[in-house]
Amino acid sequence: MYPSRFNYESPKTLADAIALLDSGAGETKVLAGGQSLVPMMKLRFAFPGTVVDINNIPNLNYHRFDSDGTLRIGALCRHEDLEHSDVIAKGQPTIAAAAPLVADPIVRTRGTFVGSLCHADPQGDWAAVMIALGGRVVVQGPKGKREIAMKDFVLGPFQTALEFNEIAIEAVIPAPAGQARGGYLKLERRVGDFATASVAVALEITGGKVVRAGIAMAGVGGKTIDATDAASSLVGQALTEANIATVAAAVAAVAEPRSDHRGSSDYKRQIIRTFVTRILTSIANSTKKAA
Amino acid sequence: MPLDEIKIGGMGASRRRVEDNRFIRGKGNYVDDIVLPDMLHMEILRSPVAHARIKSIDVSKAWDTPGVRLVLTGEMMAARNLAWMPTLSYDTQAVLATDKVRFQGQEVCAVIADDPYIAKDACAKIVVEYEILPAIVNPLQAADPASVLIRDDKENQPGNKVFDWEIGDKAGTDKAFAAADKISKIELHYPRTHPSPLECCGSIADYDRATGKLTVYMTSQAPHIVRAAVALVAELPEHQIRIVSPDIGGGFGNKVPIYPGYVISILASILTEKPVKWIEDKTGNLISTGFGRDVYLKGELALRKDGRILGVRMNTVSDHGAFFSDAQPSKFKIGLMHSAFACYDIPVAHMMSTGYYTNKAPGGVAYRCSFRVTEAMFFQERMVQAAADDLGMDQAEFRRINFVKDDEFPHRTAFGFLTDSGQYGKCLDIGLEAIGYKNFAKEKAEAASRGRLLGIGISTMTEPLGAGNSREYDILGIKMFDSAELRVHMSGKALLRTGAKSQGQGHETTWAQIVTHELGIPAEDIVVEEGDTDTAPFGMGTYASRSTPVAGAAVAMVARKIRAKARKIAAHLLEVSEEDIEWELGRFYVRSNQDRGVTIQECAMAAYSNMPDGMEPGLENNAYYDPPNLTWPFACYIAKVEIDPETGVWDVLQFVAVDDCGVRINPMIVEGQIMGGLTEAYAMANMQYITYDEEGNCIGANYMDFLLPTAWETPGFELYEVVTPCPHHPIGAKGVGECATVGGPAAFVNAVMDALKDKGVRNIDMPLMPNRVYEALTTGNDVYGMPPVRVGN
Ligand SMILES: Cc1cc2nc3c(=O)[nH]c(=O)nc-3n(C[C@H](O)[C@H](O)[C@H](O)COP(=O)(O)OP(=O)(O)OC[C@H]3O[C@@H](n4cnc5c(N)ncnc54)[C@H](O)[C@@H]3O)c2cc1C
């Protein structure tokens, strides 16, 4: 690969990394997993003057539940860490379902969860998952830390609320009220493909009733689409065939897919409706079994 | 004790591939691994637009870049008579554009610099002013007389048509159709795809002014053809040109043609007097080099009530891109398309073919097939299924009653080929049994109760391999034979060279096995070399599954020449007359006393130390083999698929492959070839294509758009074998490199169509992406043509 010329920096501390960004005046880019940045540099769509590799900064590669059930994912936690994690398999079904569907096994060994959020690709899987889960991003700059709700973090395709001198250091998923249930389904043309259409569902269930319903979609609009309002009729209800059908239709209706070679907008809506129905039905069935 | 042939790696041994020793250790030696002293690096500036007049080119900023040694434009090439080069199909192709660009990705300028980064930076500084012309992106537009003329560079080229070509008996076919009980019609498109070897094309040209010798290291499947072409184009004497193809990372037909990059690097080396390396990137490979397919068909079968096919009509329209640079035997404009229906006993057939220029990449290479045979067999098997459905007949039975029977060989096909052997019915039976054809109705009903649609698709075909015989097959007048040269050293170890060139097929392994079979020298004692025109005997290279049928035959023949000489030496050593000598694997013995014998190794030693009076010393020879006919392997592929009607997603539940490729030299390699081919077949059926938007932008220019299946989605394949030896090939082999790519796609498509039959759907053109399947199954309509690039919003 023959990118444009660039400087490479490999700071050992977060403070140094932030200082490098701060002095770079917007010509500097963070390198996490490199699975989006490096291909863009190869194609010369991106030509940063300096690349700040954060991989040598200690204590950023983690994911853990706090004692209250809050999930924290550090900036260097890779897709595959989540895919193979016992705590995720046990405690966070939406992430567990999505992790094996992100990219391909090779990309998953390097690509990071947080980097994926920062990349803000409207077809990216993790942004949809984070919106469904009502997550937040912790960012740090020269003036210290701030937290940004995921739905305010992404401003548009490949645009985020990050200032040029800030680094996203952690993703936070609030503790669920009751039981966390959920799923992720994605239509792709082959492994490693971005979503033609995908749906993330995150429910919190107490006493057989839904207390929070988060749903978001990727691939079906110019940005990740938050369909949580469309799912709000589930709150306070037990899942039934009827309310599942209603919500599936309502979610499909807020999708904004465009017709292209992967299918017509109607087709993509049909996929969304089918996926929402399938995820919710499977939650309903397993909830019944547990009860 | 006679030698155990399998133990010494002879015919039938699933010997591990010897080349893998270096490949799996990262010790392969590909073009990009070669580094010569003082080497410069070349980058090509490609046209961003599909069709435009070049108003001006300003290269001054590129020249000013430190480290740039040379900037080449079309004008500079023209000054040396190198702006255009001949193609393998008697057309011309621009090396660097002078007047117009005619497809997106066409070569416009080249920068030669100290390193590839500089070359790339400098390319970006070249300013080209284009006057945009309308882009022609399909044959329909091309045929419109009002359309802009793409090849205004040519004399006597009034429109965009490349050729009209016709074969068969028109009057007889018309008569058969007039007498038919039923006529089955179907229209199909085989989309444009790309061979897409993982290693892209590249070359290092090294011209030495002191000796006058030009050495070119390059990715060529046919180094000797390249030498001939370079002699022609560059006007250098042939003995001063050396083409070396080192290890090649896949070819699949993509590395047969001569590309502008090769020619430019040669001129650049002559001008700079330094070695010049050009390594293409993936996008460059996908948008500018030889593609595959892009053919439309109107097919008709004349049918009798009882299921017999009375006649075939095929009308093809093909899209050749901006230059007619198909790599194929020169006489056949649409390759061997007329090999269609060779496995069926059909009285009469007629084919009309028309080719067009468009503002798309040129090429039309034989992507893992013998020149358009993939299209031929796909069209054939889709037509056959549609006909069986139209007659309301069982698809397997319909095939069976129309097959050429085992005792009907040799058989002259309706289009004039001569097939020689096969057991088509037996292959079909094995396939049907393995897929559980008898129980399928029950299985289908069970799936229906789960809301799923099941289908079975069959594809049976025999295809012509091994071009050629010199009567009929030539490339630019050079006859399509092949060659082998064998040197047996004093110790009985040997060096074998052929005119073929492996790109992953495993020649270093299998050629040795043929020698082992003929001479009893253990395979591990034989080294195989290919690809260097200074050392390899002249040959036409590897493509069209021709290596084993042609070069492989030459290997057997040269080994037999060696054996004949060794026999004379043996007679001398054993002090008996030649007639009293018998041969068993690896050893001559006296007929009357089997214990008295000499091994081939002892004969080899004697050839250098104790030869009979009057005999030339040494034990080496060569053979040029001109096959008497093509070879005709047969395959029966059957797919069972399940469709999810809510999404259109289809899964392959089972895939059965029954291959009769004649005698198998190395069964493991044969199986690898079949699995690889089926994977490519699955790709084309399911996900892969290249298309262009109305402005001529190529969609499919990288691996995010042009999809290669991974191990994850590729289905499992069950392999079965039948062996009907080829009657005219010295070891009975028929070739296998391409059967699966050729015959596979129709099995997948037929299976999906079978599942949708009840919905009234007759055809979905490839690729059968889920949205297209969903559209067909919900509307009951057929889906034609390429997936649209952008539709409304
Ligand atoms: C073949 C292939 C297939 C893929 N398929 C999918 C897919 O199906 N679904 C999917 O969601 N993704 C897919 N991806 C993208 C992949 O998930 C990336 O890993 C991810 O988008 C970016 O994460 P990264 O760590 O690699 O980020 P990088 O490439 O290192 O960075 C991406 C961008 O984010 C910025 N950035 C990264 N980390 C931070 C940080 N901590 N703070 C501030 N800015 C930061 C960088 O500066 C850069 O602009 C695919 C990638 C490839 C190569």
Side-chain angles (χ1 to χ4, degrees), chain A residues 2 44 189-191 194 258 261-263 267 270 278, chain B residues 121 644 646-647 704 708 712-713 769 771 788 790:
Chain A
Y2 302 104
R44 297 193 170 201
R189 296 169 300 175
R190 61 112 219 249
V191 163
F194 286 91
R258 66 191 286 178
H261 55 293
R262 292 166 178 239
Y267 172 72
Q270 158 67 12
R278 287 183 182 176
Chain B
D121 290 348
D644 172 353
E646 287 182 317
T647 60
M704 294 309 274
L708 303 186
W712 184 258
E713 49 275 321
M769 303 198 308
N771 55 307
R790 290 266 179 270

PDB file of all heavy atoms in Angstrom, chain A residues 2 44 189-191 194 258 261-263 267 270 278, chain B residues 121 644 646-647 704 708 712-713 769 771 788 790:
ATOM      1  N   TYR A   2       0.401   2.238  -0.758  1.00  0.00           N
ATOM      2  CA  TYR A   2       1.194   3.451  -0.926  1.00  0.00           C
ATOM      3  C   TYR A   2       0.388   4.695  -0.566  1.00  0.00           C
ATOM      4  O   TYR A   2      -0.106   5.397  -1.426  1.00  0.00           O
ATOM      5  CB  TYR A   2       1.724   3.535  -2.361  1.00  0.00           C
ATOM      6  CG  TYR A   2       2.547   2.319  -2.710  1.00  0.00           C
ATOM      7  CD1 TYR A   2       2.032   1.313  -3.521  1.00  0.00           C
ATOM      8  CD2 TYR A   2       3.818   2.149  -2.168  1.00  0.00           C
ATOM      9  CE1 TYR A   2       2.782   0.174  -3.801  1.00  0.00           C
ATOM     10  CE2 TYR A   2       4.569   1.022  -2.437  1.00  0.00           C
ATOM     11  CZ  TYR A   2       4.051   0.031  -3.259  1.00  0.00           C
ATOM     12  OH  TYR A   2       4.781  -1.085  -3.522  1.00  0.00           O
ATOM     13  N   ARG A  44      -6.150   6.682  -0.392  1.00  0.00           N
ATOM     14  CA  ARG A  44      -5.870   8.119  -0.369  1.00  0.00           C
ATOM     15  C   ARG A  44      -7.155   8.952  -0.243  1.00  0.00           C
ATOM     16  O   ARG A  44      -7.226  10.067  -0.730  1.00  0.00           O
ATOM     17  CB  ARG A  44      -5.038   8.539  -1.589  1.00  0.00           C
ATOM     18  CG  ARG A  44      -3.666   7.868  -1.583  1.00  0.00           C
ATOM     19  CD  ARG A  44      -2.705   8.482  -2.575  1.00  0.00           C
ATOM     20  NE  ARG A  44      -1.349   7.956  -2.365  1.00  0.00           N
ATOM     21  CZ  ARG A  44      -0.243   8.562  -2.777  1.00  0.00           C
ATOM     22  NH1 ARG A  44      -0.298   9.696  -3.421  1.00  0.00           N
ATOM     23  NH2 ARG A  44       0.935   8.016  -2.540  1.00  0.00           N
ATOM     24  N   ARG A 189     -24.042  -9.655   2.255  1.00  0.00           N
ATOM     25  CA  ARG A 189     -23.906 -10.469   1.046  1.00  0.00           C
ATOM     26  C   ARG A 189     -22.903 -11.595   1.252  1.00  0.00           C
ATOM     27  O   ARG A 189     -22.937 -12.596   0.611  1.00  0.00           O
ATOM     28  CB  ARG A 189     -23.517  -9.584  -0.136  1.00  0.00           C
ATOM     29  CG  ARG A 189     -24.604  -8.556  -0.474  1.00  0.00           C
ATOM     30  CD  ARG A 189     -24.115  -7.530  -1.456  1.00  0.00           C
ATOM     31  NE  ARG A 189     -22.977  -6.802  -0.934  1.00  0.00           N
ATOM     32  CZ  ARG A 189     -22.294  -5.901  -1.626  1.00  0.00           C
ATOM     33  NH1 ARG A 189     -22.637  -5.620  -2.863  1.00  0.00           N
ATOM     34  NH2 ARG A 189     -21.273  -5.269  -1.085  1.00  0.00           N
ATOM     35  N   ARG A 190     -21.985 -11.368   2.133  1.00  0.00           N
ATOM     36  CA  ARG A 190     -21.039 -12.411   2.541  1.00  0.00           C
ATOM     37  C   ARG A 190     -20.292 -11.886   3.762  1.00  0.00           C
ATOM     38  O   ARG A 190     -20.377 -10.705   4.078  1.00  0.00           O
ATOM     39  CB  ARG A 190     -20.073 -12.799   1.423  1.00  0.00           C
ATOM     40  CG  ARG A 190     -19.170 -11.709   0.905  1.00  0.00           C
ATOM     41  CD  ARG A 190     -17.729 -11.960   1.243  1.00  0.00           C
ATOM     42  NE  ARG A 190     -17.143 -10.695   1.595  1.00  0.00           N
ATOM     43  CZ  ARG A 190     -16.231 -10.066   0.864  1.00  0.00           C
ATOM     44  NH1 ARG A 190     -15.756 -10.615  -0.203  1.00  0.00           N
ATOM     45  NH2 ARG A 190     -15.769  -8.908   1.247  1.00  0.00           N
ATOM     46  N   VAL A 191     -19.598 -12.783   4.433  1.00  0.00           N
ATOM     47  CA  VAL A 191     -18.870 -12.384   5.636  1.00  0.00           C
ATOM     48  C   VAL A 191     -17.914 -11.236   5.313  1.00  0.00           C
ATOM     49  O   VAL A 191     -17.244 -11.255   4.290  1.00  0.00           O
ATOM     50  CB  VAL A 191     -18.076 -13.589   6.187  1.00  0.00           C
ATOM     51  CG1 VAL A 191     -17.014 -13.133   7.164  1.00  0.00           C
ATOM     52  CG2 VAL A 191     -19.023 -14.554   6.860  1.00  0.00           C
ATOM     53  N   PHE A 194     -20.520  -4.994   4.848  1.00  0.00           N
ATOM     54  CA  PHE A 194     -21.340  -4.135   5.687  1.00  0.00           C
ATOM     55  C   PHE A 194     -22.803  -4.501   5.504  1.00  0.00           C
ATOM     56  O   PHE A 194     -23.179  -5.140   4.534  1.00  0.00           O
ATOM     57  CB  PHE A 194     -21.088  -2.672   5.333  1.00  0.00           C
ATOM     58  CG  PHE A 194     -19.772  -2.175   5.844  1.00  0.00           C
ATOM     59  CD1 PHE A 194     -18.630  -2.250   5.061  1.00  0.00           C
ATOM     60  CD2 PHE A 194     -19.668  -1.664   7.128  1.00  0.00           C
ATOM     61  CE1 PHE A 194     -17.411  -1.809   5.536  1.00  0.00           C
ATOM     62  CE2 PHE A 194     -18.447  -1.214   7.610  1.00  0.00           C
ATOM     63  CZ  PHE A 194     -17.316  -1.287   6.815  1.00  0.00           C
ATOM     64  N   ARG A 258     -32.486   3.526   0.923  1.00  0.00           N
ATOM     65  CA  ARG A 258     -32.549   3.929  -0.478  1.00  0.00           C
ATOM     66  C   ARG A 258     -32.459   2.679  -1.341  1.00  0.00           C
ATOM     67  O   ARG A 258     -31.854   1.682  -0.943  1.00  0.00           O
ATOM     68  CB  ARG A 258     -31.458   4.922  -0.826  1.00  0.00           C
ATOM     69  CG  ARG A 258     -30.052   4.379  -0.748  1.00  0.00           C
ATOM     70  CD  ARG A 258     -29.041   5.487  -0.837  1.00  0.00           C
ATOM     71  NE  ARG A 258     -28.980   5.975  -2.217  1.00  0.00           N
ATOM     72  CZ  ARG A 258     -28.193   6.995  -2.587  1.00  0.00           C
ATOM     73  NH1 ARG A 258     -27.452   7.601  -1.701  1.00  0.00           N
ATOM     74  NH2 ARG A 258     -28.148   7.383  -3.835  1.00  0.00           N
ATOM     75  N   HIS A 261     -28.325  -1.447  -5.541  1.00  0.00           N
ATOM     76  CA  HIS A 261     -28.077  -2.796  -6.043  1.00  0.00           C
ATOM     77  C   HIS A 261     -28.304  -3.869  -4.988  1.00  0.00           C
ATOM     78  O   HIS A 261     -28.442  -5.031  -5.309  1.00  0.00           O
ATOM     79  CB  HIS A 261     -26.668  -2.901  -6.606  1.00  0.00           C
ATOM     80  CG  HIS A 261     -25.610  -2.490  -5.629  1.00  0.00           C
ATOM     81  ND1 HIS A 261     -25.480  -1.192  -5.185  1.00  0.00           N
ATOM     82  CD2 HIS A 261     -24.657  -3.200  -5.007  1.00  0.00           C
ATOM     83  CE1 HIS A 261     -24.483  -1.131  -4.327  1.00  0.00           C
ATOM     84  NE2 HIS A 261     -23.965  -2.322  -4.198  1.00  0.00           N
ATOM     85  N   ARG A 262     -28.374  -3.473  -3.724  1.00  0.00           N
ATOM     86  CA  ARG A 262     -28.639  -4.478  -2.693  1.00  0.00           C
ATOM     87  C   ARG A 262     -30.129  -4.682  -2.470  1.00  0.00           C
ATOM     88  O   ARG A 262     -30.520  -5.513  -1.662  1.00  0.00           O
ATOM     89  CB  ARG A 262     -28.015  -4.063  -1.380  1.00  0.00           C
ATOM     90  CG  ARG A 262     -26.502  -4.073  -1.382  1.00  0.00           C
ATOM     91  CD  ARG A 262     -26.036  -3.317  -0.148  1.00  0.00           C
ATOM     92  NE  ARG A 262     -24.592  -3.324  -0.034  1.00  0.00           N
ATOM     93  CZ  ARG A 262     -23.931  -3.831   1.015  1.00  0.00           C
ATOM     94  NH1 ARG A 262     -24.590  -4.385   2.010  1.00  0.00           N
ATOM     95  NH2 ARG A 262     -22.635  -3.782   1.051  1.00  0.00           N
ATOM     96  N   GLY A 263     -30.942  -3.883  -3.132  1.00  0.00           N
ATOM     97  CA  GLY A 263     -32.368  -4.096  -3.002  1.00  0.00           C
ATOM     98  C   GLY A 263     -33.136  -2.795  -2.987  1.00  0.00           C
ATOM     99  O   GLY A 263     -32.569  -1.727  -2.744  1.00  0.00           O
ATOM    100  N   TYR A 267     -37.841  -3.611  -0.116  1.00  0.00           N
ATOM    101  CA  TYR A 267     -37.206  -4.859   0.291  1.00  0.00           C
ATOM    102  C   TYR A 267     -36.469  -4.694   1.610  1.00  0.00           C
ATOM    103  O   TYR A 267     -36.587  -5.508   2.530  1.00  0.00           O
ATOM    104  CB  TYR A 267     -36.237  -5.333  -0.801  1.00  0.00           C
ATOM    105  CG  TYR A 267     -35.403  -6.520  -0.377  1.00  0.00           C
ATOM    106  CD1 TYR A 267     -35.981  -7.782  -0.250  1.00  0.00           C
ATOM    107  CD2 TYR A 267     -34.043  -6.381  -0.093  1.00  0.00           C
ATOM    108  CE1 TYR A 267     -35.226  -8.881   0.144  1.00  0.00           C
ATOM    109  CE2 TYR A 267     -33.284  -7.471   0.302  1.00  0.00           C
ATOM    110  CZ  TYR A 267     -33.875  -8.716   0.428  1.00  0.00           C
ATOM    111  OH  TYR A 267     -33.123  -9.792   0.823  1.00  0.00           O
ATOM    112  N   GLN A 270     -38.764  -4.620   4.396  1.00  0.00           N
ATOM    113  CA  GLN A 270     -39.254  -5.970   4.660  1.00  0.00           C
ATOM    114  C   GLN A 270     -38.241  -6.745   5.515  1.00  0.00           C
ATOM    115  O   GLN A 270     -38.608  -7.479   6.431  1.00  0.00           O
ATOM    116  CB  GLN A 270     -39.507  -6.689   3.324  1.00  0.00           C
ATOM    117  CG  GLN A 270     -39.518  -8.214   3.370  1.00  0.00           C
ATOM    118  CD  GLN A 270     -40.698  -8.773   4.149  1.00  0.00           C
ATOM    119  OE1 GLN A 270     -41.640  -8.030   4.470  1.00  0.00           O
ATOM    120  NE2 GLN A 270     -40.649 -10.059   4.466  1.00  0.00           N
ATOM    121  N   ARG A 278     -38.409 -11.461  14.229  1.00  0.00           N
ATOM    122  CA  ARG A 278     -37.679 -12.666  14.639  1.00  0.00           C
ATOM    123  C   ARG A 278     -36.982 -12.477  15.989  1.00  0.00           C
ATOM    124  O   ARG A 278     -36.999 -13.378  16.828  1.00  0.00           O
ATOM    125  CB  ARG A 278     -36.676 -13.073  13.554  1.00  0.00           C
ATOM    126  CG  ARG A 278     -37.397 -13.673  12.347  1.00  0.00           C
ATOM    127  CD  ARG A 278     -36.456 -14.161  11.267  1.00  0.00           C
ATOM    128  NE  ARG A 278     -37.262 -14.665  10.139  1.00  0.00           N
ATOM    129  CZ  ARG A 278     -36.772 -15.086   8.999  1.00  0.00           C
ATOM    130  NH1 ARG A 278     -35.458 -15.093   8.797  1.00  0.00           N
ATOM    131  NH2 ARG A 278     -37.563 -15.535   8.038  1.00  0.00           N
TER     132      ARG A 278
ATOM    133  N   ASP B 121       2.681   9.728  -5.867  1.00  0.00           N
ATOM    134  CA  ASP B 121       2.496  11.160  -5.580  1.00  0.00           C
ATOM    135  C   ASP B 121       2.536  11.968  -6.878  1.00  0.00           C
ATOM    136  O   ASP B 121       1.717  12.861  -7.092  1.00  0.00           O
ATOM    137  CB  ASP B 121       3.612  11.680  -4.655  1.00  0.00           C
ATOM    138  CG  ASP B 121       3.491  11.127  -3.237  1.00  0.00           C
ATOM    139  OD1 ASP B 121       2.438  10.542  -2.920  1.00  0.00           O
ATOM    140  OD2 ASP B 121       4.463  11.275  -2.462  1.00  0.00           O
ATOM    141  N   ASP B 644     -35.491 -18.885   2.195  1.00  0.00           N
ATOM    142  CA  ASP B 644     -36.275 -18.239   3.249  1.00  0.00           C
ATOM    143  C   ASP B 644     -37.168 -17.210   2.550  1.00  0.00           C
ATOM    144  O   ASP B 644     -36.678 -16.175   2.091  1.00  0.00           O
ATOM    145  CB  ASP B 644     -35.295 -17.562   4.223  1.00  0.00           C
ATOM    146  CG  ASP B 644     -35.996 -16.696   5.261  1.00  0.00           C
ATOM    147  OD1 ASP B 644     -37.232 -16.502   5.150  1.00  0.00           O
ATOM    148  OD2 ASP B 644     -35.309 -16.217   6.175  1.00  0.00           O
ATOM    149  N   GLU B 646     -39.175 -15.015   3.469  1.00  0.00           N
ATOM    150  CA  GLU B 646     -39.333 -13.680   4.059  1.00  0.00           C
ATOM    151  C   GLU B 646     -38.162 -12.754   3.741  1.00  0.00           C
ATOM    152  O   GLU B 646     -38.268 -11.542   3.895  1.00  0.00           O
ATOM    153  CB  GLU B 646     -39.510 -13.786   5.575  1.00  0.00           C
ATOM    154  CG  GLU B 646     -40.874 -14.329   5.943  1.00  0.00           C
ATOM    155  CD  GLU B 646     -41.083 -14.396   7.441  1.00  0.00           C
ATOM    156  OE1 GLU B 646     -40.151 -14.818   8.162  1.00  0.00           O
ATOM    157  OE2 GLU B 646     -42.172 -14.036   7.896  1.00  0.00           O
ATOM    158  N   THR B 647     -37.043 -13.328   3.336  1.00  0.00           N
ATOM    159  CA  THR B 647     -35.870 -12.507   3.040  1.00  0.00           C
ATOM    160  C   THR B 647     -35.294 -12.755   1.647  1.00  0.00           C
ATOM    161  O   THR B 647     -34.497 -11.959   1.157  1.00  0.00           O
ATOM    162  CB  THR B 647     -34.732 -12.787   4.044  1.00  0.00           C
ATOM    163  OG1 THR B 647     -34.381 -14.172   3.946  1.00  0.00           O
ATOM    164  CG2 THR B 647     -35.151 -12.468   5.471  1.00  0.00           C
ATOM    165  N   MET B 704     -14.796  -4.680  -1.709  1.00  0.00           N
ATOM    166  CA  MET B 704     -16.019  -4.420  -0.963  1.00  0.00           C
ATOM    167  C   MET B 704     -17.228  -4.465  -1.905  1.00  0.00           C
ATOM    168  O   MET B 704     -18.349  -4.698  -1.475  1.00  0.00           O
ATOM    169  CB  MET B 704     -15.972  -3.063  -0.243  1.00  0.00           C
ATOM    170  CG  MET B 704     -14.929  -2.976   0.862  1.00  0.00           C
ATOM    171  SD  MET B 704     -14.983  -4.323   2.070  1.00  0.00           S
ATOM    172  CE  MET B 704     -16.219  -3.706   3.225  1.00  0.00           C
ATOM    173  N   LEU B 708     -15.721 -11.846  -3.182  1.00  0.00           N
ATOM    174  CA  LEU B 708     -15.202 -13.212  -3.224  1.00  0.00           C
ATOM    175  C   LEU B 708     -15.782 -13.930  -2.006  1.00  0.00           C
ATOM    176  O   LEU B 708     -15.730 -13.399  -0.905  1.00  0.00           O
ATOM    177  CB  LEU B 708     -13.675 -13.232  -3.115  1.00  0.00           C
ATOM    178  CG  LEU B 708     -12.865 -12.445  -4.137  1.00  0.00           C
ATOM    179  CD1 LEU B 708     -11.379 -12.724  -3.929  1.00  0.00           C
ATOM    180  CD2 LEU B 708     -13.254 -12.802  -5.544  1.00  0.00           C
ATOM    181  N   TRP B 712     -16.732 -19.135   5.092  1.00  0.00           N
ATOM    182  CA  TRP B 712     -17.923 -19.095   5.914  1.00  0.00           C
ATOM    183  C   TRP B 712     -19.185 -19.401   5.109  1.00  0.00           C
ATOM    184  O   TRP B 712     -19.996 -20.234   5.491  1.00  0.00           O
ATOM    185  CB  TRP B 712     -18.040 -17.718   6.578  1.00  0.00           C
ATOM    186  CG  TRP B 712     -19.188 -17.626   7.516  1.00  0.00           C
ATOM    187  CD1 TRP B 712     -20.387 -17.031   7.270  1.00  0.00           C
ATOM    188  CD2 TRP B 712     -19.271 -18.165   8.832  1.00  0.00           C
ATOM    189  NE1 TRP B 712     -21.208 -17.156   8.348  1.00  0.00           N
ATOM    190  CE2 TRP B 712     -20.549 -17.846   9.330  1.00  0.00           C
ATOM    191  CE3 TRP B 712     -18.382 -18.881   9.644  1.00  0.00           C
ATOM    192  CZ2 TRP B 712     -20.967 -18.216  10.602  1.00  0.00           C
ATOM    193  CZ3 TRP B 712     -18.790 -19.254  10.903  1.00  0.00           C
ATOM    194  CH2 TRP B 712     -20.067 -18.919  11.376  1.00  0.00           C
ATOM    195  N   GLU B 713     -19.354 -18.716   3.972  1.00  0.00           N
ATOM    196  CA  GLU B 713     -20.611 -18.909   3.243  1.00  0.00           C
ATOM    197  C   GLU B 713     -20.517 -19.976   2.165  1.00  0.00           C
ATOM    198  O   GLU B 713     -21.541 -20.441   1.670  1.00  0.00           O
ATOM    199  CB  GLU B 713     -21.136 -17.604   2.628  1.00  0.00           C
ATOM    200  CG  GLU B 713     -20.146 -16.792   1.834  1.00  0.00           C
ATOM    201  CD  GLU B 713     -19.344 -15.877   2.738  1.00  0.00           C
ATOM    202  OE1 GLU B 713     -19.913 -15.323   3.676  1.00  0.00           O
ATOM    203  OE2 GLU B 713     -18.131 -15.735   2.521  1.00  0.00           O
ATOM    204  N   MET B 769     -28.951 -12.597  -5.857  1.00  0.00           N
ATOM    205  CA  MET B 769     -28.874 -11.947  -4.550  1.00  0.00           C
ATOM    206  C   MET B 769     -30.255 -12.026  -3.900  1.00  0.00           C
ATOM    207  O   MET B 769     -31.264 -12.062  -4.591  1.00  0.00           O
ATOM    208  CB  MET B 769     -28.411 -10.508  -4.710  1.00  0.00           C
ATOM    209  CG  MET B 769     -27.070 -10.435  -5.426  1.00  0.00           C
ATOM    210  SD  MET B 769     -26.212  -8.861  -5.210  1.00  0.00           S
ATOM    211  CE  MET B 769     -27.459  -7.708  -5.665  1.00  0.00           C
ATOM    212  N   ASN B 771     -32.323 -10.054  -2.576  1.00  0.00           N
ATOM    213  CA  ASN B 771     -33.380  -9.117  -2.957  1.00  0.00           C
ATOM    214  C   ASN B 771     -34.001  -9.491  -4.298  1.00  0.00           C
ATOM    215  O   ASN B 771     -35.194  -9.310  -4.511  1.00  0.00           O
ATOM    216  CB  ASN B 771     -32.833  -7.683  -3.004  1.00  0.00           C
ATOM    217  CG  ASN B 771     -31.629  -7.531  -3.897  1.00  0.00           C
ATOM    218  OD1 ASN B 771     -30.655  -8.265  -3.754  1.00  0.00           O
ATOM    219  ND2 ASN B 771     -31.674  -6.615  -4.833  1.00  0.00           N
ATOM    220  N   PRO B 788     -29.626  -2.966 -10.546  1.00  0.00           N
ATOM    221  CA  PRO B 788     -29.489  -1.530 -10.816  1.00  0.00           C
ATOM    222  C   PRO B 788     -28.488  -0.916  -9.854  1.00  0.00           C
ATOM    223  O   PRO B 788     -28.345  -1.370  -8.722  1.00  0.00           O
ATOM    224  CB  PRO B 788     -30.896  -0.989 -10.557  1.00  0.00           C
ATOM    225  CG  PRO B 788     -31.533  -1.988  -9.656  1.00  0.00           C
ATOM    226  CD  PRO B 788     -30.925  -3.316  -9.969  1.00  0.00           C
ATOM    227  N   ARG B 790     -28.218   2.537  -8.906  1.00  0.00           N
ATOM    228  CA  ARG B 790     -28.944   3.440  -8.004  1.00  0.00           C
ATOM    229  C   ARG B 790     -30.334   3.615  -8.587  1.00  0.00           C
ATOM    230  O   ARG B 790     -30.489   3.856  -9.764  1.00  0.00           O
ATOM    231  CB  ARG B 790     -28.290   4.823  -7.959  1.00  0.00           C
ATOM    232  CG  ARG B 790     -26.963   4.836  -7.249  1.00  0.00           C
ATOM    233  CD  ARG B 790     -27.136   5.204  -5.791  1.00  0.00           C
ATOM    234  NE  ARG B 790     -25.844   5.184  -5.122  1.00  0.00           N
ATOM    235  CZ  ARG B 790     -25.343   4.098  -4.525  1.00  0.00           C
ATOM    236  NH1 ARG B 790     -26.010   2.973  -4.501  1.00  0.00           N
ATOM    237  NH2 ARG B 790     -24.165   4.152  -3.948  1.00  0.00           N
TER     238      ARG B 790
END
